[in-house]
Amino acid sequence: MMRSNALVRSVARTATVLTAAFALAVTVAPLAGTAQAHEAVTGSLSFSGEPGEYISGGQSYAYTPETTEMFDISGPTSESAVGATVVTPEGERWALSMSAPYGQKLVAGTTYSNARSWPEAQPEDPQLQFSVTDRYCESGVGSFTVSHIAYGPHGYIREVDATFERYCSGSTLPVRGELHARMSEPPAELAIGVQLDTTGAVATRTGEITVGGTATCNKPARISINVSAYQTQKRTTATGSHEGLIVVCEPGAPVPWTTSFPSNIDPTASFQPGAAVLRGLAVADDHDYPVSVSAFQSTDITLVRS
């Protein structure tokens, strides 16, 4: 069956990040780094169990991105684990997670034996979990082999080939399977910039200054800018700031911004026309990766009477 309409895929995709994070945080927890999920372009998840095996129900299954509502591959920034979340047209949600022992990265060409489930697993144990919507084993043992794995930025999984075998809760009947997936090219990493104007205005009655600048980005971002200024005077120093100025940035052209504030650190001092120092710190979350980026600038500025 081909995928259904875009609305169904959108709803499914919203759920997958939570599911992938849950699978990697609960069945593999604790992990260093934040789990992130991306849709596979090509690949397959196939598995089978002998009659009486609990998770598979003794059946054989094979899923691909083209025949499912969702086929997502997930992993933490630490490159220590890989997970797959597959949602069928009938609404069944299969979740697979494989993790190296605590503090280690997954290594291609390695077989991880004596893999257990969290919280039963010890830090030195690899971890393995495989479940479906209504069938889950809190304990069990198994093994998995990562024959190939390739990464992009921040743990983005580009390619993975692995096999696994798991025995549920003391059973002698295993479920065996294979995971193969190829992802799209990883998105560009977010880069932002902040530029400060070298001239500002000061209202001599209130001592409030108005300063500005521009922000840049290489992809859409919501940038938070903290602006501060100080001015050394004969007997004192005027110092003020404005935190959390939000700039909605689109790539292609610098986005202008302005803000106004008085000398709010030392209320006995006021800004005056003349030389001062302006500083700007910009921070934004990269919506494609679980990281934040920042940019900083400090410049001399001339305050003129408004």
Side-chain angles (χ1 to χ4, degrees):
M1 177 184 294
M2 298 299 293
R3 296 185 177 208
S4 59
N5 59 49
L7 177 60
V8 173
R9 290 199 303 270
S10 176
V11 172
R13 173 151 296 283
T14 300
T16 191
V17 176
L18 296 176
T19 300
F22 178 82
L24 287 174
V26 174
T27 66
V28 187
L31 285 179
T34 304
Q36 52 182 324
H38 299 278
E39 188 172 11
V41 176
T42 62
S44 63
L45 174 65
S46 58
F47 54 92
S48 62
E50 298 178 18
E53 195 282 317
Y54 177 63
I55 297 298
S56 69
Q59 303 296 313
S60 297
Y61 300 85
Y63 298 111
T64 68
E66 295 79 16
T67 60
T68 54
E69 297 294 341
M70 180 195 304
F71 197 115
D72 273 24
I73 302 299
S74 56
T77 56
S78 60
E79 300 182 4
S80 61
V82 60
T85 302
V86 172
V87 177
T88 72
E90 295 75 28
E92 284 191 317
R93 185 181 298 269
W94 295 92
L96 169 69
S97 60
M98 298 172 283
S99 175
Y102 181 76
Q104 299 182 26
K105 293 184 178 183
L106 288 177
V107 177
T110 301
T111 295
Y112 295 87
S113 303
N114 196 36
R116 299 183 179 275
S117 302
W118 184 86
E120 183 180 73
Q122 299 301 305
E124 65 272 15
D125 294 330
Q127 299 178 37
L128 171 66
Q129 183 58 268
F130 185 57
S131 63
V132 69
T133 305
D134 56 353
R135 296 190 299 280
Y136 171 85
C137 294
E138 291 188 355
S139 63
V141 68
S143 65
F144 60 91
T145 298
V146 179
S147 55
H148 172 70
I149 192 164
Y151 291 98
H154 306 293
Y156 179 99
I157 297 176
R158 301 181 63 176
E159 302 175 352
V160 61
D161 296 289
T163 59
F164 64 93
E165 176 181 88
R166 187 169 192 273
Y167 295 83
C168 186
S169 302
S171 172
T172 59
L173 303 174
V175 57
R176 297 185 175 95
E178 298 185 9
L179 172 66
H180 306 279
R182 300 294 181 269
M183 316 298 286
S184 59
E185 283 298 307
E189 298 178 74
L190 177 63
I192 63 173
V194 60
Q195 185 71 33
L196 305 175
D197 294 340
T198 57
T199 302
V202 56
T204 54
R205 282 190 177 183
T206 63
E208 184 176 78
I209 63 172
T210 299
V211 295
T214 59
T216 57
C217 55
N218 65 335
K219 60 183 181 180
R222 183 178 173 88
I223 302 175
S224 176
I225 302 179
N226 294 340
V227 185
S228 64
Y230 72 90
Q231 183 182 56
T232 301
Q233 300 168 359
K234 289 183 178 180
R235 296 182 179 180
T236 187
T237 298
T239 306
S241 64
H242 181 187
E243 298 183 355
L245 174 68
I246 300 299
V247 176
V248 178
C249 184
E250 294 288 340
V255 181
W257 56 266
T258 60
T259 183
S260 300
F261 52 86
S263 177
N264 51 19
I265 304 300
D266 181 357
T268 65
S270 297
F271 287 110
Q272 301 173 3
V277 175
L278 185 64
R279 293 171 174 165
L281 172 64
V283 180
D285 293 331
D286 189 330
H287 295 296
D288 292 310
Y289 303 107
V291 296
S292 295
V293 298
S294 62
F296 174 80
Q297 188 186 24
S298 177
T299 188
D300 294 331
I301 186 173
T302 300
L303 298 176
V304 298
R305 192 186 308 270
S306 64

